[in-house]
Amino acid sequence: MMGRKCCVPGCNSNYDNTDVHVHSFAFPKDDRKCLWIKKINRAGFVPTKHSVVCIKHFSEQFIIHNHRVVKPDGTVLEVKRNRPILTSDAFPSLHANQPNYLSEEPAPKRKAPEERLSEMRKRDDNNFANWNEKDIITSFSTLSDCCRSKIPKELQFIQDQKFVLLYKIDPTSMPKIVFSIKVFDDFTVDIWHGPKKLRSQDYSYMLGKENKCDRWTKLDCLINWISATPELETPLKAQMEHIVSKLKECLLCIKDDLKITTHINFIIEQVYLAMSSHPSYKTDYLLLCAQIYFSYPSAYTFIRNLAILKLPHPLYLKKLAATLRSPSVLDSNSHIYYLKKKCEMLSVDEKLVSVLIDEIHVNASYSYSGGQIIGSAENCNAEATTVQAFMLTSLFSDNKDIVALVPVKNQNNDELLANTTKVLKILKYTGYTVLCLISDNLRLNRKMFEKMAGGSISNFIQNPADQESKLFFLFDTVHLIKSIRNNWLNLTNNDQTIYFPNTEDNTKTRP
């Protein structure tokens, strides 16, 4: 408190004849009271409840100017107090108006544990921030200028405008390069162990996903790691992977030559199959093998038995063929599950698809294969003469898939409409967005389009499976051109000339 007169001899704080007004503190009521009386050096003094000692007689370590709270995370919050208070162990020890030997500066107090912990954390944070700042390679020029002083002396150093190359030479017998590290101007890294270039996956855990050496510690880790890696003989699998990578590089150079590209892709497939103990055949390769087997089964078996080429077993091809010849997939939960799972792996653009509608004429017959009787029409109790095919194709990728194969006989437009609507609902459920239906100009398809459009065909309608999107109708241009060609060849006029409407005046025609 301020205003009360200091009782220490020689001190005039808060007296009427002075302008010195400071905070003062009452004598404690516990055992410390005797210590205070002794320290003020006033013989025979008995303090009253009004006796005070001013703040000038206390060492700064005893004065608390701020409220102080330690948060759970160790940080300290301080707020200035309206008036200072004393610590519990405070005593008056400074007497400027008394002989020097009567004053003393108390020994420094040990800080509280939470305060020491806070200071230690702050000091560690500062040290880490300074180290982190020095560890970052800010630019390629910094890397070029400082690299020599950062790397071991036994490493050689080559500096270029586009890269920095570090390498170690083994001078024993014939000199050879043990390893080399090339850091490019964008901080990406290539590493060779002898003549072999290492995969970035082998050291990505040191550089991160971007494969960038943008810290001195990363460069140091790379050097220590490659220095400790013994030179091993390249495993057979790694050599074959190297062969595949070189073949793929060749494909980039001759991508316009379809014949050679097909040959190289076939070789790449054979190398992959040779490396695998459980071969997984690509779709194109399976189709090729199936075409050979079902055309020339004896020749296929002979070539497979020679073990020159890795070919799928004939039973495997038969099972696949039986699956593809199944009566229908409109009600197949497994096929719908397949479409759904595949859709989940596609990008948003790849899910935008067109649905192609076409008929495949088949021989009317029954057969038993894969535990099923095949050949029955789904729209009547008779042998199927046609398979109604529905296929999706992505607008922004090469993704294609069979949606449904429906065996039918003498299908009418109502039945085709029902099957088409079901296909649209399946694709909506599995995650695809159908933008258009494409078919040839067959009368059955036109009638189905008209019925779907409400009686008269239009460019688009609201999708029956998704009322928020439009569904466009397209006719296959290849079939239209074929129809025009056939009609042209069948003309009986003398000059065999086809006439078509005048685009400017539809009442006239022109050749």
Side-chain angles (χ1 to χ4, degrees), residues 13 18 27 138 142 144 212 276 305 315 335 393 408 417 435 466 473:
S13 296
T18 181
F27 280 74
T138 55
T142 303
S144 302
K212 290 193 175 183
S276 175
N305 291 338
L315 290 177
H335 187 70
T393 174
V408 294
L417 176 59
L435 294 184
D466 184 5
F473 296 141

Side-chain angles (χ1 to χ4, degrees), residues 326-421:
S326 61
S328 173
V329 293
L330 277 175
D331 299 312
S332 172
N333 291 330
S334 60
H335 187 70
I336 294 174
Y337 177 79
Y338 158 76
L339 290 174
K340 186 176 179 65
K341 286 299 180 182
K342 183 170 183 181
C343 184
E344 291 174 357
M345 296 185 290
L346 300 177
S347 66
V348 175
D349 289 342
E350 289 178 313
K351 295 178 183 179
L352 300 176
V353 298
S354 298
V355 174
L356 282 64
I357 304 173
D358 204 354
E359 307 82 27
I360 303 172
H361 295 283
V362 295
N363 293 328
S365 63
Y366 289 109
S367 62
Y368 180 82
S369 179
Q372 295 178 333
I373 298 177
I374 299 172
S376 176
E378 291 202 354
N379 62 334
C380 64
N381 293 324
E383 297 171 332
T385 57
T386 305
V387 173
Q388 186 66 51
F390 297 88
M391 186 177 80
L392 68 83
T393 174
S394 294
L395 298 182
F396 295 99
S397 73
D398 294 333
N399 175 53
K400 296 179 181 179
D401 253 313
I402 296 293
V403 183
L405 299 173
V406 186
V408 294
K409 180 177 182 179
N410 298 330
Q411 181 180 220
N412 59 41
N413 53 50
D414 288 329
E415 293 167 342
L416 179 57
L417 176 59
N419 289 333
T420 304
T421 303

Side-chain angles (χ1 to χ4, degrees), residues 286-306:
L286 283 173
L287 291 174
L288 174 63
C289 293
Q291 185 178 2
I292 297 173
Y293 174 73
F294 291 115
S295 300
Y296 312 102
S298 298
Y300 182 89
T301 304
F302 175 76
I303 295 173
R304 188 176 185 279
N305 291 338
L306 290 177

Side-chain angles (χ1 to χ4, degrees), residues 103-136:
S103 298
E104 62 175 327
E105 182 67 38
K109 291 176 61 177
R110 182 177 177 84
K111 296 180 180 179
E114 61 272 11
E115 186 177 356
R116 295 200 305 273
L117 179 62
S118 176
E119 291 181 355
M120 182 178 66
R121 286 177 175 172
K122 186 175 181 180
R123 184 173 60 252
D124 290 344
D125 290 342
N126 290 335
N127 291 338
F128 176 77
N130 293 333
W131 171 85
N132 187 58
E133 184 178 357
K134 294 179 181 179
D135 188 52
I136 297 174

